[in-house]
């Protein structure tokens, strides 16, 4: 990216992009002049002094004493998760009741991560609705979206505006149905998803439970509740997952190999991976509506991320199913547990082919462990994802020195500590529930690590602290297509292993590439 | 399939076809919505003073509007780029999270130390804050920011929806803390997302807050600041991908002194000194006409709109700006035009043959639905449809000078309408936003994001035009579009 020292001006033959253009002397001089003459800048010594100060223990203590301001949090708000859950059902249009700006944000956020369209509507409430309530917005909104987007189901959630003024979704939807906005028997499940409670994973839970309750408990009192007739099937709930496209396909492959009768409840792997073949699909794939009802009869439900289903899973359990809560299974032990649970519940043995996959992963780890052993990592992600990564790092002989989740609580902290104490590599590692990335910045300065695993926002920490970043989690805006790769199962763990190793080797090369100075270690065999 | 007959089509045929298309598309709406939406869809008729559509009206619920909210207009657009101030997203976590560093307002500074644009500061409201009010939390947040970021030059409080609904008094908190922090500028902004019908009211509210909490407070405070006869301020350039920089360089080269950038790569000091400039030059009329009018009324500063997209409009604009100054600047403008002409000609020579005759449909915000038309025309391309996300009637009046007879106009277009319009008109390129990008690419239609420049840019100025031309060529002439149909499926 650096220029070769020559002055360049813009030209047709070799168009200079922003990263080249603005490094040309004419721009550098302009920037300097602007700063000097017009910005009234703080003198550079003072900037440097403060910059150094932010690296100190003193600053860290001040930073950790914060009570009111959150800086660079790693969490979003409830309706985002509600939409994520909703689009996993066949032909389902997410409808968010409240201010419209929120929906513009949700759609952009998903599109930036998945590089896919993200269909979702708002009831576009404005000041008058704030005063009189949003009933008319619900009535007109459902009618319009039903007519235009021809969904099979509309899943309603709320923004904080609708929650603060206390709009009642159940009553409003009933009213809209009576007014003929949608046919009498058209499915409109709903969930209240206030942004000032929990985070996007809470919204996922609320919407998932809302949809199941709607179908199982009598569709908001319009039909009799279903009566459970147990069968041998296993339900899987995926949870909020940036790698959902790859993960769901991998889970399907594994379960098909085992010959298990299973149902994925909310499968958005297709809607967020639609082909470019000349046709735009607003809806694609997903759990069939009839299957939502069927899911009641299953023998058991496995939540792949139990911090995404703290209300949903107990609700299912009360219906008489066995429930299993996992934490984003990455690595050998986590995958072993997943397969063993599936095998136990289904009575199907784990096939030899999967055993071989396991062996190959162990082989790969053995081949590479010397490069990972003892390396210190900082990890942040949603609670389950952070647990999954932490478990895998411990298996690799790495030290997850700082594990942080902004949207996590004491229960999660306990789970992470349990993991730490299960391995000698967990000794001295620390867990940080409820902290943000500005806290993590202080940690990285005062207790440095070798590598960091996090989402796109971690690149600011990489810039400030020099800690090399391995991207995993949600959102990832600045690298393409990783969401198409699984991280679950033995194959998924292999992907994570390779991403970690690639970064380690790249760093090794970067640190040994100066001719006649360090390049004796610039080995071609590692 | 396609209703277009590109070669033979004249504007009358285009008008008739577009009117028929509007009628067809409206058929799908419920009756009540047909009436309302029909006022926002139209066909431009040559000689008319506007585009024949209603605008700046509430979006219909449930139609998938592309619009955002007042918070987006204030925090996301107007205030967010002011780099040496901290902008608090006051309320629940989401708004600040989704708008975190997503608008590419480039700036130079040490982030987290003396500049803060690509950071997410939020009071992260919890249920108790809604129930008991958030003023105390806000006051404490301001203390903590002051402590942890001593080099900040001011703080804005960007209200999210709940603030206005729970009756918090953020103005009182701002005043108290301003006193405590010895006069520090702390600006409460009432940009709750439910106000108004789009981003637009947020721009206005943000403009007013600059008027009331910055300019009123500081006007005349710096008598030692020496102005020159050639001082101007760039108003309404958010420096997306460096747009304001590739504009500023031209203004400086023609002999002007750019005292302030509103607000891309801007500082509070630049805002404060703007009342002393000789001319405000206004790029995004929509988002900053308010403050320009205020400075005209209060400080007697004239303002002039300009357009730095494409050489034709740039030349026109440089001369228009220069006309407010003496011969030195007028000669300067000619010198700049002459300097860049060969480069601009070379760009056109290279890219025009690959782009001439290509048809474009736009749907953007602010100024772009009209401003970029000239740049496309410089490359021989034709804009056959355009519309504003949050324009007002004065935008559509201005647009009437840039569009051709028969152009399809869609105000606050819905997802459904846009998809149908593109399906029928089969443009060679669609220029809109991230929410639209993948819809059209799946359909096999080349697309460029015209908010973020699709992570490219700058597009302003001569240096930007070269990038613009290259990017449009790249989008339209990518080999990928020939691959969307499997060979065994080709008709």
């Amino acid at each position: 990216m650096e220029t070769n020292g020559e002055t360049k001006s813009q030209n047709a033959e070799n168009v200079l992009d922003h990263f080249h253009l603005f490094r040309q002397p004419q721009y550098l001089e302009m920037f300097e002049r602007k700063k000097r003459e017009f910005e009234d800048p703080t003198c550079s010594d003072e900037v440097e002094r403060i910059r150094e100060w932010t690296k100190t223990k003193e600053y860290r203590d001040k930073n950790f004493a914060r009570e009111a301001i959150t800086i660079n949090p790693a969490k979003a708000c409830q309706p985002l998760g509600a939409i994520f859950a909703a689009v996993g059902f066949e032909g389902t249009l997410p409808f968010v009741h409240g201010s419209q700006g929120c929906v513009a944000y949700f759609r952009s956020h998903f599109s930036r991560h998945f590089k896919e369209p993200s269909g979702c509507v708002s009831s576009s409430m404005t000041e008058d609705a704030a005063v009189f309530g949003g009933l008319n917005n619900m009535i007109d909104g459902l009618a319009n979206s039903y007519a235009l987007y021809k969904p099979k189901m509309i899943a309603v959630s709320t923004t904080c505006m609708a929650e603060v003024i206390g709009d009642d979704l159940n009553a409003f939807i009933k009213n809209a149905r009576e007014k003929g906005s949608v046919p009498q028997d058209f499915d409109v499940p709903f969930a209240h998803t206030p942004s000032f409670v929990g985070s996007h994973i809470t919204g996922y839970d609320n919407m998932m439970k809302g949809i199941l309750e709607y179908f199982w408990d009598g569709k908001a009192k319009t039909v009799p509740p279903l009566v459970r007739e147990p069968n041998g099937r296993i339900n899987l709930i995926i949870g909020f997952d940036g790698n959902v496209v790859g993960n769901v396909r991998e889970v399907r492959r594994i379960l098909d190999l085992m010959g298990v009768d299973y149902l994925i409840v909310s499968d958005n792997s297709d809607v967020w991976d639609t082909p470019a073949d000349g046709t735009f699909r607003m809806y694609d794939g997903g759990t069939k509506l009839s299957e939502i009802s069927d899911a009641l009869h299953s023998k058991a439900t496995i939540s792949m991320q139990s911090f995404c289903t703290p209300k949903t899973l107990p609700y299912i359990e009360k219906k008489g199913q066995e429930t299993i809560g996992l934490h984003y299974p990455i690595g050998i032990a986590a995958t072993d547990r997943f397969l063993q649970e599936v095998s136990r519940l289904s009575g199907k043995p784990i096939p030899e082919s999967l055993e071989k996959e396991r062996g190959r992963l162990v082989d790969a780890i053995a081949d590479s462990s010397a490069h990972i052993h003892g390396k210190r990592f900082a990890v942040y992600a949603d609670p389950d994802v952070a647990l999954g990564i932490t478990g895998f790092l411990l298996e690799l002989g790495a030290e997850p020195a700082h594990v942080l989740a902004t949207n996590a609580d004491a229960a999660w902290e306990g789970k992470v500590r349990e993991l730490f104490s299960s391995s000698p590599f967990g000794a001295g590692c620390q867990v940080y529930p409820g902290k943000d990335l500005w806290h993590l910045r202080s940690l990285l300065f005062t207790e440095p690590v070798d590598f960091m695993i996090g989402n796109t926002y971690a690149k600011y920490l990489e810039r400030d602290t020099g800690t090399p970043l391995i991207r995993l989690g949600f959102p990832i805006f600045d690298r393409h297509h990783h969401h198409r790769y699984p991280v679950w199962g033995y194959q998924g763990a292999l992907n994570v292993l390779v991403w970690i190793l690639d970064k380690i080797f790249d760093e090794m090369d970067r640190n040994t590439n100066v001719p006649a100075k360090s390049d004796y270690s610039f080995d071609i065999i590692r | 399939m396609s209703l277009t007959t590109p070669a033979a089509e004249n504007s009358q045929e285009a008008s008739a076809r577009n009117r028929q298309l509007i009628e067809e598309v409206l058929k799908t709406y419920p009756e009540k919505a047909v009436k309302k939406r029909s006022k926002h869809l139209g066909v431009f008729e040559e000689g008319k003073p506007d585009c024949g559509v209603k605008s700046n009206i509430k979006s219909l619920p449930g139609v998938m509007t592309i619009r955002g909210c007042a918070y987006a207009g204030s925090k996301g657009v107007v205030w967010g780029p002011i780099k040496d101030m901290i902008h608090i997203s006051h309320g629940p976590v989401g708004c600040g999270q989704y708008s975190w560093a997503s608008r590419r307002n480039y700036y130079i500074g040490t982030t987290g130390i003396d500049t803060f644009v690509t950071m997410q500061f939020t009071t992260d409201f919890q249920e108790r804050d809604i129930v008991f009010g958030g003023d105390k939390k806000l006051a404490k947040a301001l203390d903590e920011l002051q402590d942890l970021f001593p080099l900040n030059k001011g703080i804005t409080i960007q209200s999210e929806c709940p603030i206005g609904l729970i009756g918090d008094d953020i103005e009182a908190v701002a005043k108290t803390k301003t006193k405590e922090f010895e006069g520090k500028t702390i600006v409460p902004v009432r940009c709750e997302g439910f106000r108004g019908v789009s981003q637009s009211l947020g721009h206005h509210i943000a403009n007013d807050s600059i008027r009331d909490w910055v300019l009123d407070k500081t006007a005349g405070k710096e008598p030692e600041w020496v102005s020159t006869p050639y001082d101007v301020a760039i108003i309404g350039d958010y420096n997306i991908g460096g747009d304001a920089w590739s504009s500023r360089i031209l203004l400086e080269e023609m002999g002007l002194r750019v005292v302030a950038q509103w607000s891309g790569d801007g500082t509070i000091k630049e805002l404060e000194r703007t009342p002393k400039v000789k001319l405000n030059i206004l790029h995004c009329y929509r988002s900053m006409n308010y403050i320009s009018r205020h400075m005209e009324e209060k400080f007697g500063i004239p303002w002039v709109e300009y357009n730095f997209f494409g050489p034709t409009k740039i030349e026109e604009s440089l001369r228009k700006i220069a006309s407010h100054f003496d011969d030195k600047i007028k000669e300067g403008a000619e010198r700049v035009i002459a300097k860049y002409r060969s480069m601009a000609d070379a760009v056109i020579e290279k890219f025009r043959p690959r782009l001439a005759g290509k048809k474009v449909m736009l749907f953007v915000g602010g100024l772009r639905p009209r401003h970029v038309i000239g740049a496309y025309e410089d490359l021989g391309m034709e804009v056959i449809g355009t519309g504003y996300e949050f324009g007002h009637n004065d935008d559509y009046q201005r647009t009437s000078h840039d569009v051709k007879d028969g152009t399809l106009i869609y105000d606050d277009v819905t997802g459904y309408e846009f998809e149908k319009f593109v399906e029928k008109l089969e443009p060679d390129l669609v220029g809109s936003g991230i929410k639209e990008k993948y819809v059209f690419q799946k359909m096999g239609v080349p697309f460029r994001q015209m908010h973020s420049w699709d992570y490219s840019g700058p597009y302003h100025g001569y240096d930007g035009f070269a990038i613009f031309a290259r990017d449009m060529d790249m989008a339209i002439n990518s080999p990928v579009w020939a691959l969307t149909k499997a060979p065994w499926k080709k008709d």
Side-chain angles (χ1 to χ4, degrees):
Chain A
M1 294 291 164
E2 292 296 335
T3 57
N4 56 11
E6 262 176 72
T7 300
K8 287 182 186 161
S9 53
Q10 188 62 287
N11 68 95
E13 281 319 303
N14 180 21
V15 174
L16 301 178
D17 276 300
H18 45 88
F19 31 78
H20 286 126
L21 180 67
F22 296 128
R23 291 183 200 181
Q24 303 307 317
Q26 67 272 27
Y27 279 103
L28 296 177
E29 282 158 26
M30 186 182 88
F31 297 154
E32 186 46 42
R33 197 164 51 244
K34 176 178 185 293
K35 183 176 176 182
R36 197 178 56 239
E37 292 184 24
F38 305 109
E39 293 186 357
D40 199 20
T42 306
C43 75
S44 51
D45 288 352
E46 180 65 358
V47 172
E48 203 43 41
R49 190 182 71 78
I50 298 294
R51 199 165 76 93
E52 287 303 319
W53 173 60
T54 66
K55 300 176 182 175
T56 62
K57 179 72 170 51
E58 182 203 346
Y59 188 88
R60 171 179 161 167
D61 292 343
K62 265 180 190 294
N63 192 10
F64 272 74
R66 267 191 283 139
E67 290 175 354
I69 194 75
T70 298
I71 307 167
N72 298 353
K75 66 170 181 181
C77 67
Q78 279 212 47
L80 187 84
I83 295 166
F84 190 96
V87 299
F89 296 95
E90 173 195 23
T92 298
L93 180 67
F95 181 114
V96 188
H97 182 55
S99 299
Q100 72 192 9
C102 314
V103 169
Y105 279 141
F106 307 142
R107 296 179 64 206
S108 303
H109 209 64
F110 282 129
S111 286
R112 288 175 178 138
H113 174 84
F114 289 111
K115 317 295 179 200
E116 289 288 323
S118 178
C120 177
V121 297
S122 161
S123 66
S124 294
M125 285 166 66
T126 54
E127 253 160 316
D128 52 344
V131 177
F132 301 110
L135 176 60
N136 287 331
N137 298 67
M138 181 68 77
I139 293 170
D140 291 346
L142 286 179
N144 288 334
S145 47
Y146 179 77
L148 292 181
Y149 300 108
K150 314 221 167 352
K152 292 190 173 158
M153 171 162 99
I154 297 177
V156 181
S157 55
T158 49
T159 78
C160 53
M161 180 211 183
E163 288 300 321
V164 171
I165 66 172
D167 279 4
D168 178 351
L169 289 184
N170 191 14
F172 281 19
I173 293 166
K174 190 164 175 251
N175 209 316
R177 206 189 285 283
E178 278 160 13
K179 289 255 167 28
S181 299
V182 292
Q184 280 298 332
D185 59 350
F186 184 79
D187 292 319
V188 188
F190 59 90
H192 288 274
T193 50
S195 304
F196 44 81
V197 175
S199 71
H200 56 290
I201 59 173
T202 319
Y204 181 95
D205 189 32
N206 282 332
M207 181 50 85
M208 185 60 76
K209 179 162 175 273
I211 290 174
L212 295 182
E213 269 181 336
Y214 176 88
F215 277 86
W216 294 358
D217 293 343
K219 301 197 170 182
K221 294 187 179 159
T222 57
V223 297
L226 297 179
V227 178
R228 185 169 129 85
E229 295 164 16
N231 58 30
R233 195 184 246 189
I234 301 169
N235 298 332
L236 272 98
I237 297 177
I238 302 301
F240 193 104
D241 178 17
N243 281 70
V244 66
V245 171
N247 279 340
V248 165
R249 289 176 190 166
E250 180 61 13
V251 163
R252 283 189 182 283
R253 188 185 69 85
I254 290 170
L255 298 180
D256 289 343
L257 266 175
M258 292 178 72
V260 174
D261 182 15
Y262 67 95
L263 173 68
I264 292 177
V265 184
S266 180
D267 172 3
N268 41 37
S269 62
D270 283 343
V271 76
W272 273 323
D273 192 21
T274 62
D277 58 359
T279 304
F280 159 55
R281 298 161 176 80
M282 183 179 284
Y283 315 105
D284 200 16
T287 309
K288 295 203 178 342
L289 302 194
S290 61
E291 290 174 333
I292 307 175
S293 301
D294 293 346
L296 172 65
H297 311 304
S298 294
K299 177 179 188 179
T301 295
I302 299 176
S303 169
M304 302 300 279
Q305 301 194 66
S306 41
F307 285 103
C308 292
T309 54
K311 287 185 206 156
T312 303
L313 220 49
Y315 167 75
I316 295 172
E317 200 174 328
K318 261 191 209 154
K319 295 287 175 190
Q321 290 189 28
E322 183 179 349
T323 59
I324 310 287
L326 303 179
H327 300 294
Y328 208 80
I330 302 181
I332 307 270
T335 305
D336 290 349
R337 162 128 198 256
F338 170 56
L339 296 186
Q340 284 172 298
E341 292 290 5
V342 171
S343 174
R344 179 180 65 78
L345 291 167
S346 65
K348 306 270 184 185
I350 297 165
E352 209 186 305
S353 59
L354 285 174
E355 268 178 46
K356 273 186 112 174
E357 283 183 21
R358 185 183 190 280
R360 289 180 192 127
L361 174 61
V362 173
D363 181 58
I365 293 171
D367 293 347
S368 314
S369 91
H371 293 291
I372 306 182
H373 190 101
K375 294 276 189 301
R376 285 162 53 83
F377 282 73
V379 175
Y380 79 83
D382 284 341
D384 294 292
V385 183
L387 277 164
I389 296 168
T390 303
F392 189 42
L393 287 174
L394 291 169
E395 282 180 346
L396 297 173
E399 294 174 24
H402 311 300
V403 179
L404 182 147
T406 307
N407 48 352
D409 57 9
W412 174 80
E413 183 183 356
K415 291 269 180 196
V416 177
R417 287 195 193 286
E418 258 173 54
L419 263 182
F420 286 163
S421 52
S422 72
S423 159
F425 296 93
C429 296
Q430 294 297 321
V431 55
Y432 299 95
K435 297 299 176 194
D436 57 43
L437 302 188
W438 198 253
H439 292 119
L440 185 52
R441 185 178 185 272
S442 279
L443 292 174
L444 293 175
F445 278 127
T446 52
E447 296 175 63
V449 295
D450 301 302
F451 295 93
M452 169 171 50
I453 299 181
N455 63 19
T456 279
Y457 301 117
K459 79 189 293 175
Y460 295 131
L461 294 169
E462 184 178 37
R463 175 197 59 196
D464 287 1
T465 69
T467 316
L469 167 65
I470 296 139
R471 285 171 177 77
L472 194 61
F474 177 93
I476 292 176
F477 294 152
D478 64 335
R479 294 293 184 273
H480 291 192
H481 309 308
H482 285 253
H483 67 274
R484 299 172 196 266
Y485 291 81
V487 301
W488 291 349
Y490 303 123
Q491 295 293 350
L494 188 65
N495 286 332
V496 179
L497 176 68
V498 170
W499 298 335
I500 293 172
L501 285 169
D502 279 351
K503 182 58 76 174
I504 290 175
F505 290 131
D506 282 349
E507 280 300 301
M508 222 177 263
D509 287 345
R510 207 174 57 84
N511 290 325
T512 57
N513 64 3
V514 181
K517 200 165 176 198
S518 62
D519 69 339
Y520 45 83
S521 303
F522 196 63
D523 287 318
I524 64 153
I525 307 164
R526 299 267 195 212
Chain B
M1 289 290 284
S2 168
L3 295 172
T4 47
T5 48
E9 187 175 72
N10 60 37
S11 68
Q12 278 170 347
E13 285 165 353
S15 295
R17 176 207 57 200
N18 287 343
R19 282 182 210 289
Q20 189 198 331
L21 178 54
I22 290 170
E23 225 169 273
E24 256 174 55
V25 164
L26 283 171
K27 274 183 195 155
T28 310
Y29 281 94
E31 201 179 329
K32 190 174 163 191
V34 173
K35 266 192 207 152
K36 291 190 167 163
R37 276 310 300 161
S38 64
K39 294 175 186 157
H40 297 266
L41 306 174
V43 178
F44 175 65
E45 289 174 40
E46 190 68 56
K48 290 274 169 73
D50 58 27
C51 297
V53 294
K54 295 270 185 213
S55 57
N56 196 31
I57 294 172
K58 271 197 283 191
S59 305
L60 298 182
V63 297
M64 214 176 302
T65 173
I66 291 165
R67 285 173 168 177
C69 64
Y71 163 89
S74 177
K75 188 267 186 178
V77 175
V78 173
W79 271 113
I82 297 294
K83 64 182 177 180
D84 55 357
M85 295 176 81
I86 288 173
H87 309 290
I88 305 175
S89 294
H90 186 40
V93 69
C95 317
Q97 202 70 5
Y98 309 122
S99 59
W100 180 4
S102 56
R103 209 161 176 263
R104 303 187 68 234
N105 308 111
Y106 280 10
Y107 65 102
I108 290 169
T110 308
T111 302
I113 309 300
D114 65 353
T115 48
F116 312 95
V117 178
T118 50
M119 294 176 72
Q120 195 319 46
F121 296 93
T122 176
T123 41
D124 188 13
F125 265 33
Q126 302 300 303
E127 197 146 28
R128 62 180 177 273
D129 303 313
I130 301 289
V131 176
F132 300 111
D135 286 341
K136 276 189 188 152
K137 190 176 203 180
L138 175 62
K140 190 164 215 174
L142 293 168
D143 289 341
E144 290 172 357
L145 289 173
Q146 193 61 1
D147 206 17
L148 288 167
F149 303 96
L151 301 186
N152 85 76
K153 299 283 185 65
I155 300 171
T156 73
I157 303 155
Q158 306 286 331
S159 301
E160 299 171 6
C161 286
I163 304 307
L165 299 172
I166 62 176
D168 274 10
D169 191 353
I170 58 171
E171 289 79 7
V173 177
K175 280 180 190 156
T176 309
K177 287 295 161 186
T178 294
K179 261 188 217 149
E180 256 179 56
F181 300 162
E182 291 161 355
K184 174 176 288 283
T185 300
I186 301 176
V187 184
V189 191
R190 287 290 183 174
C191 55
E192 288 90 342
F194 61 82
R195 296 191 196 278
V197 302
S198 67
Q199 292 91 312
S200 184
L201 190 63
H203 305 142
H204 198 154
I205 290 167
N207 276 229
D208 288 355
S209 68
I210 298 177
R211 178 193 67 199
D212 296 342
W213 295 81
V214 178
L215 299 189
D216 275 6
K217 182 180 154 195
T218 53
K221 207 182 81 177
E222 232 189 344
E224 74 279 11
W225 165 253
V226 183
S227 57
T228 78
Y230 303 117
D231 287 2
V232 298
I234 294 176
I235 310 278
D237 189 323
Y238 302 103
N239 206 32
I240 290 167
D243 279 339
W245 293 335
S246 55
S247 303
R248 181 187 187 103
I249 202 163
L250 302 179
L251 299 168
E252 288 191 355
E253 281 182 73
M254 70 192 268
L256 295 171
R257 194 170 84 135
V258 181
V259 169
Q261 285 177 206
W262 292 56
S263 55
D265 192 39
T267 56
I268 176 92
K269 190 52 86 180
E270 292 170 57
L271 300 187
E272 289 174 2
R273 286 170 178 165
T274 304
K276 292 206 172 171
V277 302
K278 297 297 177 290
L279 180 71
N280 276 324
I281 67 163
L282 178 58
H283 208 240
C284 182
Y285 169 85
R286 181 69 278 131
S287 59
M288 285 204 177
N289 77 85
Y290 318 101
I291 200 73
S292 307
R293 291 176 198 278
H294 169 70
M295 284 192 266
E296 183 177 40
E297 281 164 28
K298 181 140 187 197
F299 308 107
I301 304 169
W303 51 279
V304 57
E305 289 176 63
Y306 70 111
N307 177 350
F308 268 6
F309 289 102
T312 305
K313 293 293 176 185
I314 298 172
E315 281 190 20
E316 224 177 272
S317 295
L318 288 172
R319 290 189 175 119
K320 190 165 151 192
I321 292 165
S323 73
H324 290 259
F325 294 94
D326 60 14
D327 285 350
K328 183 188 148 203
I329 300 298
K330 286 179 186 139
E331 283 155 21
E334 294 309 321
R335 195 173 57 243
V336 171
I337 291 167
K339 175 183 166 184
Y340 287 96
R341 181 160 286 151
S342 63
M343 189 269 280
D345 285 349
V347 168
I348 290 171
E349 196 183 325
K350 177 171 178 184
F351 293 106
R352 192 176 167 114
R354 304 146 81 121
L355 296 171
K358 301 288 185 191
K359 294 184 179 352
V360 185
M361 289 176 76
L362 298 170
F363 185 76
V364 217
L367 67 161
R368 292 161 180 175
R370 64 175 178 275
H371 261 44
V372 297
I373 292 174
Y376 282 114
E377 288 175 352
D378 283 337
L379 295 167
M381 301 166 75
E382 187 192 354
V383 173
I384 61 166
T386 191
Y388 290 81
E389 213 177 298
F390 46 80
H392 298 203
N393 196 41
D394 49 5
D395 290 300
Y396 285 101
Q397 285 166 355
R398 284 166 167 75
T399 309
S400 66
H401 306 295
D402 294 297
V403 289
K404 288 187 178 150
D405 191 49
T407 303
L408 182 64
I409 308 288
Y410 28 82
D411 177 69
D412 182 23
V413 79
T414 67
Y416 175 80
E417 290 161 2
F418 205 11
E419 187 194 334
K420 294 296 157 198
F421 288 156
V422 169
E423 206 174 274
K424 292 289 182 188
L425 297 184
E426 295 191 322
D428 301 290
L429 179 75
V430 175
S432 192
I434 182 68
K435 304 191 290 299
E436 295 70 61
K437 178 181 175 77
Y438 301 105
V439 170
F440 297 116
Q441 290 190 176
K442 303 285 176 187
M443 289 164 64
V445 181
F447 187 98
R448 285 299 293 189
Q449 289 184 66
M450 295 300 282
H451 298 260
S452 67
W453 305 147
D454 236 311
Y455 322 122
S456 175
Y459 282 177
H460 292 179
Y462 288 107
D463 285 348
F465 176 65
I467 301 172
F468 171 84
R470 191 271 322 263
D471 287 355
M472 298 310 138
D473 174 44
M474 194 154 73
I476 290 176
N477 295 312
S478 164
V480 74
W481 306 120
L483 303 172
T484 50
K485 286 270 177 261
W488 56 91
K489 284 271 172 97
K490 271 183 181 158
D491 17 71

